[in-house]
Amino acid sequence: MNDESQQPNPSAHRSFHPDKYAPEPDEPRKTPTKKEKEASGVGTPSDSLTARAEDRGKSQGMQDTGRRGESRRPSGKKDASAYTGVNPDDTSAGDGSR
């Protein structure tokens, strides 16, 4: 390349002269005192507001198959109504209409 084909690039000059162009560094963070830590936790709930999946009600279309494995995690399977949203055993219509 020759000098005639290059575009001026002022940001390159700033990159190589940070002592002249860089902003002043920020103040370092200070470690909070014990009193400040305690004050920040006031009013913060420590328990979860939602129930675990094991404690929730049973979902429609799901069947419980007990606990499995070493961790004893709950397991289950879906029946036909979980896939279609229609209970295959529901014969309440009775008149043959859909």
Side-chain angles (χ1 to χ4, degrees), residues 4-95:
E4 293 176 20
S5 65
Q6 291 185 353
Q7 299 288 325
N9 188 355
S11 66
H13 177 75
R14 289 191 302 268
S15 296
F16 290 101
H17 297 88
D19 52 326
K20 183 176 181 182
Y21 295 102
E24 292 295 320
D26 293 336
E27 292 290 322
R29 287 189 175 185
K30 66 179 183 94
T31 305
T33 64
K34 186 174 182 179
K35 188 175 184 179
E36 289 172 332
K37 283 183 183 180
E38 289 173 359
S40 70
V42 173
T44 305
S46 59
D47 294 332
S48 175
L49 300 176
T50 58
R52 300 181 319 169
E54 295 89 0
D55 297 335
R56 294 181 186 166
K58 301 293 179 203
S59 298
Q60 185 177 3
M62 298 295 290
Q63 296 176 359
D64 185 14
T65 58
R67 296 190 172 266
R68 303 187 74 179
E70 189 176 329
S71 65
R72 308 300 300 153
R73 298 181 81 175
S75 63
K77 61 182 184 177
K78 295 179 181 181
D79 62 16
S81 68
Y83 291 103
T84 62
V86 176
N87 185 351
D89 299 327
D90 186 17
T91 57
S92 61
D95 61 356

